[in-house]
Structure formats: structure tokens, C-alpha cells
Amino acid sequence: MKTPAALLAGAFVLFSLACTRSPQDAPGKVVLKVNQTEMSAKEFSNALASRLRAFDSLTVKDPQVLRRTKDEVVKEFLIRIITEDYARSQNILVRKDDLDNEINSVRANYPDDITYRQELDDEVLIYKDWQEKVRSTVLQKLVLLSLKQKLVPPTDEEMRNYYNNNKAEFQTGEQVRVRQV
């Protein structure tokens, strides 16, 4: 599997190349590809529009906000695909019970069902799309838990060596504490 940095760099290259094409083939044009999964310009623009709805019309016109939001869409796509590929390779599945528990947990944060449904409407989310986002979040948690279980904690000797080789990272300059009586 390629490193995340290489995948991210490749995704940005693909995205920038795809943005230079003619408008006729733009909606179906692949702008991101991670492993075997692709994102078309139309899917990208829908994801971008969904994120930009949270901003007012003046903020959306800010090039920095637009660039940051585009980067978030790319990052979210990368994380989702890498997580799904890793989960598939390790046979990690989201059980229906886990998904239902997470959905019920989120719904419990709302005072009633009407408020919950109003929030979905405000976000212009179809329940099925929201459920898929929740499933993806649960899958990410399961993958992180799997990775955490495979980690071997460093020994005391390794930590001591790291500290001795990187003392500058752990030192702070002079500090003053002020108290008021």
C-alpha cells in the first residue's frame, strides 16, 4: 500500500490536471483516484457544495476558504478510501448493531425526532446519506482500534534514548508565573 503522503500528492496532481479540461467532459471526469476508487468532478463539486453551505455568501468567495474547503473534501475522500481498503484487507466489518447503536447515540442528542429531522433537512442530507457517513465513522473507529491493538508500546530504554536524542523538543524557555493576591 502506498504512503498517505504519496496518495495525497497523487490526488492533488490528478485534481489539478482534471481542472484544466474542457467543460463538456467535466462532470464525468475523474478528479481523484485512490487505489481503485475514483471521484468524478460532479461528485467532488457536490461534496464541495455540501461543505460550503455552512458559510455565508461573502465567506464562500474568499479564496483561502475555498482552497481549505477543497482540501478538506480531498482529505475526507482519502481517509474514507484508505480506511475502507484497510478494513477490507483485514476483514473489519461494521455490524448492524454497532451502526444502530451509533445512530441511536446521535439521535439521543436531540430533544425530539422533529428537531433531529429538521437538522437533517437544514444540512440537506438524505437519511441514507447520513447513515452512510455514520457507518464510515464507525468503520474508522474500528480500524483505529485494530491498529492500536497491533502497536507495541516502546520500552523504557527506547523512550530514554529518544528523549536523550531529542532534548531540545522537551525544553522550554524561561517562564514567569504571575499571581494576583
Side-chain angles (χ1 to χ4, degrees), residues 9-139:
F12 281 118
V13 170
L14 279 173
F15 177 70
S16 61
L17 289 174
C19 288
T20 61
R21 303 291 174 163
S22 66
Q24 292 95 0
D25 50 327
K29 188 70 182 160
V30 174
V31 293
L32 294 172
K33 182 175 181 179
V34 178
N35 298 337
Q36 301 303 319
T37 307
E38 300 174 340
M39 179 183 255
S40 69
K42 182 176 181 177
E43 292 167 331
F44 184 87
S45 67
N46 288 342
L48 182 62
S50 175
R51 283 187 170 268
L52 290 174
R53 279 190 201 103
F55 300 108
D56 62 70
S57 58
L58 185 60
T59 304
V60 168
K61 293 178 183 176
D62 182 350
Q64 290 177 344
V65 170
L66 190 57
R67 169 57 41 207
R68 191 171 45 247
T69 308
K70 286 179 179 179
D71 291 346
E72 288 171 5
V73 170
V74 171
K75 181 181 173 184
E76 183 179 293
F77 179 74
L78 285 169
I79 290 171
R80 182 174 57 86
I81 300 308
I82 291 170
T83 300
E84 288 174 358
D85 288 351
Y86 180 82
R88 196 175 305 111
S89 73
Q90 300 297 313
N91 293 321
I92 299 172
L93 302 171
V94 176
R95 295 186 344 233
K96 183 173 178 2
D97 292 346
D98 293 337
L99 180 59
D100 290 344
N101 288 340
E102 186 70 21
I103 288 172
N104 290 335
S105 171
V106 172
R107 288 179 95 169
N109 292 326
Y110 293 92
D112 55 38
D113 198 49
I114 294 171
T115 308
Y116 161 74
R117 291 182 185 279
Q118 182 62 45
E119 185 67 27
L120 285 179
D121 285 344
D122 291 347
E123 294 293 320
V124 192
L125 274 175
I126 299 169
Y127 179 78
K128 192 174 184 178
D129 293 341
W130 177 77
Q131 187 178 25
E132 180 56 31
K133 285 185 176 189
V134 173
R135 188 200 67 75
S136 183
T137 301
V138 172
L139 185 63

Side-chain angles (χ1 to χ4, degrees), residues 159-178:
M159 288 190 289
R160 194 174 299 106
N161 286 341
Y162 182 81
Y163 174 76
N164 289 333
N165 293 332
N166 300 285
K167 282 186 178 181
E169 288 183 42
F170 299 98
Q171 295 176 349
T172 57
E174 292 184 26
Q175 296 179 350
V176 177
R177 288 189 184 186
V178 178

Side-chain angles (χ1 to χ4, degrees), residues 137-153:
T137 301
V138 172
L139 185 63
Q140 287 176 22
K141 289 178 183 178
L142 292 172
V143 165
L144 288 175
L145 183 62
S146 169
L147 291 171
K148 184 179 174 184
Q149 291 171 346
K150 292 179 181 180
L151 286 177
V152 177

